[in-house]
Amino acid sequence: GLESEGPFIVPQLIEALQKEGIIVSCVAAGQAHSLVTCRDTGRVVAFGSNAHGQLGFTSDYSCRTPRVVMSLEERVRTVSAGTYHSVC
């Protein structure tokens, strides 16, 4: 989500979320991907490696900038991420 590669040892502000006015209610981090839930809409935003489909997109391309997971139609309250998977 930072449009650059880490590693980072301290938390970083993801400016793309801030620019979109997204207020985050839940954060999950896997080995090389992250997920957040939006407090107002319940949407899931994902970014990072998608080599195993862990972002929930139809392609296996990684995503350096946050992107809404459109395949989730219901409001999501919490997310969890593992090494190569995600759960919501």
Side-chain angles (χ1 to χ4, degrees), residues 12-13 15 19 23 32 41 46 49-50 54 69 77 80 85:
Q12 303 289 310
L13 174 67
E15 292 180 9
K19 287 179 187 176
I23 299 172
T41 64
S49 172
N50 195 36
Q54 62 268 44
V69 181
R77 293 179 185 229
S80 180
H85 68 280

Side-chain angles (χ1 to χ4, degrees), residues 8-32:
F8 298 97
I9 59 172
V10 295
Q12 303 289 310
L13 174 67
I14 301 172
E15 292 180 9
L17 294 175
Q18 187 178 36
K19 287 179 187 176
E20 293 294 322
I22 294 173
I23 299 172
V24 174
S25 62
C26 182
V27 178
Q31 180 175 344

Side-chain angles (χ1 to χ4, degrees), residues 26-36 47 79-86:
C26 182
V27 178
Q31 180 175 344
H33 71 291
S34 298
L35 307 165
V36 301
F47 46 95
V79 289
S80 180
T83 304
Y84 301 118
H85 68 280
S86 302

